[in-house]
Amino acid sequence: MGDLEQTCASLRAQIAATEAQLAGLKRDLQIAEQAAVDHKAQETFNDESIGRKWPLLEDEYRRYGRQMIVPQLGIQGQLKLRSAKVLIVGAGGLGCPAALYLAGAGVGTLGLVDGDKVESSNLHRQVLHRTKNVGKLKVDSAIEYLQELNPHSKYIAHREHLAPQDAPDIFSNYDLVLDCTDNPATRYLISDTAVLLGKPLVSASALRTEGQLMVLNNPPRPAGDNTGGPCYRCVFPTPPPANTVTSCADGGIIGPVVGTMGVLQALEAIKVVTTEETNTPPPALHIFSAYSSPLFRTIKLRSRRPNCAVCSAEASVTLDTVRSGSTDYVFFCGTSDPENLLSAEERITPLEYRAKHPDASAEVKNKEPTIIDVREKVQFDICSLDNSVNVPISTILASARMPTGDEASTTLPSWVPSDAASSETTDPIYVVCRMGNDSQIAVKKLKELGLDRDGQRVVADIRGGFRAWKEQVDPEWPAY
């Protein structure tokens, strides 16, 4: 036993050393790539500037001519874009169109931060990625496209998820930051770092058919200076409850919706770079709704909050607290861990379910299960199990809490299926959803209503939902 423990300890040490070495190699690669880009740019500049009368190349005049004749931009604006360094955090649905138009507009240096790889489910909205690049790092896929679009710009790849210890060093090399991420913890990290380093921030989000856009910390001012623009914490001083945060994977997204928000981010970035600070517009939240009329609404934002944790005179967030991790963004935003909602006895794997009920469509005289599918109807219509009943989780959560025990039998909400509501049977009830999260919430609700008959009746969820069902039972089940 002692030898095994020693072996395990040795392997852990080797893994830690290898990971540290890999991290160091990644940093060295990034530094080398940046040096190569800078060297190439300097050589190009030296070669092109010899005997040249005009500030732009002949190809640049042709390429950017249509935008340079717009009065709000002009040649001076184009030169500002050429010298600008813009960082895009997230190379997904927002970051792709933003990068596309900023590169097209002639931004001199574009940095992209992302640690994800391209998946086929990305392609309907993340317009820089192509089918042949599935499995490739998103930043590499994006830069490959951007280099073909505009070889005059410099592109810097940060092949990692943004981490607090790295954010200040990355941000310090850029003039402007675009938040193209999709989770609250990273949004607060980006905003805090941008404020502490004096960088304006263009922030956007999109889900289903709606989007939001803000320009923050513009103009950038030190903490305690009320003339500076508000930060993300000023607008949202407390994060939303973790269990209310919905991602594109769960809630869905229409490609042109997130594309619209990403293009607007690029537009706001161009305005920030080319507009004199004295002409900075007042802060505002722009709300886009694809199925509403009008499509856009604008809400005026207040200035910096006097008690903001990062941009007020009472600031408690500093670069040191960000780097050290004492400003814990995950803890601040909370975590929703649905895996711990139910005990092992209240869960069943798809394989175990199939073993107990070999043919759910056949009539079984003893213990025929009721299957409740708690996905929204739009997902239920895509694919569903035979004889399952659709009761959307939104319907369950919207219902008032009902009495439990004997009292519950007469006061069950209308969404409870008749088979499950019957007091004459103890046949099992199984709840299923897409990934095994909402189903656990539904099981707890059903038990609160007393439908487990004080333990006489099985009320359980199918662990892992239809994602696990595809892996364990039916490989042909549609993955969406």
Side-chain angles (χ1 to χ4, degrees):
M1 186 65 181
D3 291 342
L4 285 175
E5 290 177 349
Q6 188 175 359
T7 300
C8 291
S10 175
L11 289 172
R12 291 191 194 100
Q14 291 180 52
I15 291 172
T18 303
E19 288 178 341
Q21 184 181 15
L22 179 60
L25 289 171
K26 286 182 177 179
R27 286 194 298 270
D28 293 343
L29 175 61
Q30 185 175 315
I31 292 169
E33 287 178 336
Q34 178 63 58
V37 167
D38 292 342
H39 181 69
K40 182 179 178 182
Q42 187 61 45
E43 284 186 334
T44 302
F45 177 79
N46 292 337
D47 292 342
E48 293 169 347
S49 61
I50 297 174
R52 184 153 56 85
K53 180 179 180 180
W54 307 108
L56 296 177
L57 301 175
E58 183 178 353
D59 179 63
E60 289 179 300
Y61 282 105
R62 286 193 300 266
R63 184 181 289 264
Y64 310 130
R66 297 297 187 275
Q67 68 188 34
M68 284 195 292
I69 60 177
V70 176
Q72 288 87 342
L73 194 69
I75 181 64
Q76 294 304 319
Q78 190 62 52
L79 291 173
K80 289 179 179 178
L81 288 173
R82 196 179 198 243
S83 62
K85 297 181 179 180
V86 178
L87 179 67
I88 298 175
V89 186
L94 293 167
C96 282
L100 188 67
Y101 276 93
L102 289 176
V107 168
T109 301
L110 272 178
L112 285 86
V113 182
D114 203 310
D116 285 340
K117 294 181 179 180
V118 179
E119 299 177 0
S120 59
S121 62
N122 303 146
L123 300 179
H124 83 107
R125 66 192 185 280
Q126 299 181 14
V127 293
L128 289 180
H129 310 309
R130 290 163 287 181
T131 302
K132 70 174 186 177
N133 284 344
V134 169
K136 193 172 187 176
L137 282 170
K138 285 186 178 181
V139 290
D140 292 333
S141 172
I143 289 175
E144 178 184 306
Y145 190 110
L146 295 173
Q147 286 173 331
E148 293 178 5
L149 172 68
N150 190 353
H152 296 294
S153 297
K154 296 181 292 184
Y155 306 102
I156 301 173
H158 301 277
R159 302 176 181 90
E160 57 199 338
H161 295 295
L162 189 67
Q165 64 270 23
D166 300 324
D169 293 333
I170 294 174
F171 282 32
S172 63
N173 296 316
Y174 297 90
D175 308 312
L176 171 67
V177 180
L178 273 65
D179 180 354
C180 300
T181 62
D182 62 357
N183 70 86
T186 307
R187 289 192 186 123
Y188 283 102
L189 168 61
I190 292 171
S191 176
D192 290 355
T193 308
V195 171
L196 294 170
L197 292 175
K199 314 292 184 181
L201 171 64
V202 183
S203 177
S205 62
L207 183 67
R208 299 190 180 100
T209 63
E210 298 182 343
Q212 296 183 356
L213 173 74
M214 297 178 290
V215 180
L216 302 168
N217 196 40
N218 188 42
R221 292 288 186 270
D225 189 337
N226 293 331
T227 64
C231 70
Y232 195 81
R233 286 182 187 266
C234 294
V235 182
F236 303 109
T238 57
N243 59 4
T244 66
V245 176
T246 305
S247 67
C248 290
D250 295 330
I253 183 69
I254 294 180
V257 172
V258 69
T260 296
M261 305 316 298
V263 170
L264 288 175
Q265 280 186 282
L267 175 60
E268 292 298 330
I270 291 171
K271 288 163 60 179
V272 171
V273 170
T274 61
T275 302
E276 294 295 331
E277 191 174 288
T278 53
N279 295 326
T280 299
L285 170 64
H286 305 286
I287 301 173
F288 172 73
S289 183
Y291 285 82
S292 297
S293 182
L295 292 173
F296 288 93
R297 292 183 295 122
T298 297
I299 299 173
K300 185 182 294 186
L301 295 177
R302 295 178 179 177
S303 58
R304 289 181 167 182
R305 293 173 63 92
N307 61 344
C308 177
V310 69
C311 67
S312 72
E314 303 175 6
S316 57
V317 177
T318 66
L319 286 177
D320 287 339
T321 67
V322 171
R323 279 197 177 100
S324 67
S326 59
T327 298
D328 190 330
Y329 293 95
V330 174
F331 177 79
F332 175 66
C333 293
T335 58
S336 179
D337 189 5
E339 291 295 325
N340 296 329
L341 288 181
L342 300 178
S343 65
E345 292 74 23
E346 297 172 298
R347 313 198 72 187
I348 187 172
T349 67
L351 275 179
E352 291 168 341
Y353 173 85
R354 179 54 79 205
K356 287 189 174 184
H357 308 282
D359 187 358
S361 62
E363 290 189 6
V364 182
K365 293 182 179 180
N366 187 32
K367 302 295 182 185
E368 180 179 3
T370 296
I371 308 171
I372 301 177
D373 187 331
V374 296
R375 295 174 298 162
E376 298 300 313
K377 185 179 184 300
V378 66
Q379 296 188 47
F380 184 79
D381 290 343
I382 294 174
C383 52
S384 61
L385 295 175
D386 292 338
N387 297 329
S388 61
V389 180
N390 184 216
V391 183
I393 188 66
S394 59
T395 301
I396 296 173
L397 295 177
S399 65
R401 181 181 177 89
M402 304 303 297
T404 58
D406 296 338
E407 214 179 341
S409 61
T410 59
T411 56
L412 291 175
S414 59
W415 54 261
V416 177
S418 57
D419 290 345
S422 174
S423 60
E424 299 178 359
T425 178
T426 57
D427 290 348
I429 301 172
Y430 296 107
V431 185
V432 66
C433 66
R434 188 181 178 197
M435 291 185 285
N437 297 334
D438 290 340
S439 56
Q440 296 184 69
I441 298 171
V443 166
K444 290 185 71 69
K445 183 67 175 178
L446 292 170
K447 289 196 168 187
E448 286 178 5
L449 296 172
L451 295 179
D452 63 337
R453 308 281 186 259
D454 293 325
Q456 299 179 38
R457 184 183 206 177
V458 172
V459 179
D461 93 306
I462 297 180
R463 183 191 292 270
F466 286 119
R467 178 172 292 182
W469 186 272
K470 179 179 178 66
E471 295 173 355
Q472 300 178 22
V473 175
D474 184 2
E476 296 183 0
W477 188 267
Y480 60 91

